[in-house]
Amino acid sequence: MQALADQLEVSIMPVREAMARLVSERALEVLPSRSVRVPLIDEEMLEDLRHARCVVEGELVRQAAGNLTPSTLESLKQLTTECEKAFVELDTRHAIETSRLNYRFHFEIYQAAGSKVLLPIVQSLWLQSGPYVREAAAIYKANPDLTAIHHHWAIVEALEAKDGDRAAAALREDITESYNLIKCHSLTKKKGS
């Protein structure tokens, strides 16, 4: 923690508070040695996170379907176009960019739902699944023929039609594809070990 505080040029207290929050959100875990790490994931936990995200985020998409303004829909299209461009030149910098654009795309929709209860839940789920979904970006980088952007276009199309169920189905495919990539990649790595 001290090294991180030094790097950020802050006292140890904000770092300690941030770590405590991330532990309470289950994005980090404290080990018996009092060190902190990203929780190890197994297939069961990965599936549980995928399912929870599909349920909670699907409901937010349904709620948002009738609330999106034309300018918000244009913003979603722009974010998707920018993400497509970042995928074309996928390297470390663009992997960070695709993650940032993906987050902005999803949360612009979720905020439009107007749920003060579900939004913090989905934020916690993203914190918990972030390191693993980030792994999906690395898999996409290694397999340039793959891209998940078509799911974003399907979500936008359904939202333009104010079809919450169709948007939720496209979202479920978006989430599931990334998790399936991670699962398949992990199993391949295990077999290769």
Side-chain angles (χ1 to χ4, degrees):
M1 280 196 266
Q2 187 60 56
L4 187 56
D6 292 344
Q7 183 180 0
L8 297 172
E9 298 178 358
V10 297
S11 72
I12 193 84
M13 286 310 297
V15 174
R16 190 173 283 141
E17 289 169 10
M19 291 264 194
R21 178 167 179 241
L22 290 170
V23 168
S24 74
E25 293 282 349
R26 302 189 61 201
L28 295 175
E29 67 182 2
V30 178
L31 299 175
S33 64
R34 295 182 38 97
S35 59
V36 179
R37 72 172 179 196
V38 172
L40 298 178
I41 190 104
D42 59 22
E43 198 170 330
E44 183 180 338
M45 181 62 169
L46 194 65
E47 178 57 26
D48 199 20
L49 277 169
R50 184 206 60 79
H51 176 73
R53 283 193 57 202
C54 286
V55 169
V56 176
E57 294 175 47
E59 183 55 31
L60 283 167
V61 167
R62 277 187 201 87
Q63 290 179 17
N67 299 342
L68 295 170
T69 64
S71 66
T72 303
L73 287 165
E74 276 308 308
S75 176
L76 293 173
K77 290 176 185 176
Q78 181 62 37
L79 288 167
T80 303
T81 299
E82 289 176 32
C83 200
E84 269 181 332
K85 289 177 185 171
F87 262 109
V88 169
E89 299 176 3
L90 200 55
D91 56 17
T92 303
R93 183 175 67 79
H94 290 95
I96 293 167
E97 184 68 2
T98 58
S99 295
R100 186 184 68 76
L101 292 165
N102 184 54
Y103 178 89
R104 284 183 52 206
F105 174 87
H106 284 275
F107 278 85
E108 197 157 323
I109 297 168
Y110 304 155
Q111 288 170 352
S115 175
K116 290 183 168 88
V117 173
L118 293 178
L119 193 58
I121 294 169
V122 80
Q123 288 168 330
S124 177
L125 290 170
W126 274 61
L127 279 173
Q128 291 176 55
S129 60
Y132 316 112
V133 173
R134 184 104 159 99
E135 177 69 17
I139 297 167
Y140 283 119
K141 178 182 175 186
N143 299 280
D145 295 338
L146 297 175
T147 177
I149 299 303
H150 61 284
H151 296 302
H152 285 202
W153 288 118
I155 293 167
V156 170
E157 184 180 298
L159 290 172
E160 280 186 309
K162 298 190 183 310
D163 188 339
D165 289 336
R166 193 171 57 150
L171 173 87
R172 188 172 44 255
E173 290 176 18
D174 182 31
I175 293 168
T176 299
E177 183 173 307
S178 290
Y179 278 79
N180 285 343
L181 279 174
I182 297 163
K183 195 178 347 180
C184 289
H185 185 71
S186 296
L187 291 173
T188 303
K189 279 172 53 175
K190 283 181 185 174
K191 287 179 184 175
S193 300

